[in-house]
Amino acid sequence: MSIEISPTLPAYDTGKPWWRGEAYSALLLGALSMIAGVLVAVIWRAVAPMVQGVVSISNGQKSAYYANPETKGFVGQDGTFGICGAVAAILLAVAAFLWCRRRGPIGAALALAGAGVGAAYFAAWFGTWLGPGRGSIVAAAKNVPNNGTFDLPLQIGATGVIWLWPAIAVGLYFLLMLIFGPGDEAEEQFPQWADPVDLTAPGPGDPAAR
């Protein structure tokens, strides 16, 4: 018995375009990332340590300086933002692994990276805007009298804490995929052929075909 195999594989039927799952994953993770950015900004504003400033008025000119030049408050603000961003990144990576690894793993990874960067920068800006003076020292010290203290605006001193968010999200997502796998069934990962090759059918040179 001879077996004839076509030199070209037949097209397979997935039931829907492959890009729909990837687009769905990207949009879902992008939306969740922006929501997480808002939450991170609000939490950062609420729990970050504040740095005090002092107003000095001399000859009709108003200036401000640090109440404690050796303060570590700005380091604490960076650290608080980094912790909040890391928690958000972990939650997003787990959500991407649980919900999107079957429908669109590539779209989920791209969204964790791209939307993660955007959400982190948005959280830093929005958290600063929620803080004293909407991020402006002049506005924060506007109604402070001479020798009066006030809270300086929030700020990010180390840009690396912003990039920590997407780095953790993408790294953890790929780690989960590496350890646990995509979790797809064989027929989901490799769909059945629409026109399968029948290996039991007799070929043209088979006596049974005559």
Side-chain angles (χ1 to χ4, degrees), residues 44-45 48-51 66 71-82 123-132 134-137 151-159 161-162:
W44 180 48
R45 167 65 181 95
M50 303 305 299
V51 178
Y66 293 129
T71 181
K72 297 181 180 179
F74 288 121
V75 177
Q77 292 177 5
D78 290 352
T80 303
F81 183 88
W125 170 81
F126 189 51
T128 301
W129 185 84
L130 291 175
R134 298 288 190 259
S136 171
I137 298 179
D151 291 333
L152 291 169
L154 290 170
Q155 69 176 32
I156 297 293
T159 310
V161 298
I162 297 179

Side-chain angles (χ1 to χ4, degrees), residues 6-7 17 20 40 50-51 61 84 95 99-100 119 125-126 128-129 141 146 164-165 181-182 184:
S6 174
R20 287 189 179 180
V40 167
M50 303 305 299
V51 178
Q61 293 187 352
C84 293
W99 297 342
C100 303
W125 170 81
F126 189 51
T128 301
W129 185 84
N146 187 32
L164 191 65
W165 178 331
D184 293 332

Side-chain angles (χ1 to χ4, degrees), residues 3-38:
I3 300 176
E4 180 182 10
I5 301 178
S6 174
T8 58
L9 294 175
Y12 58 85
D13 183 14
T14 59
K16 61 181 180 180
W18 64 269
W19 53 265
R20 287 189 179 180
E22 303 293 353
Y24 169 83
S25 298
L27 291 175
L28 177 61
L29 267 299
L32 291 178
S33 296
M34 296 311 298
I35 294 174
V38 174

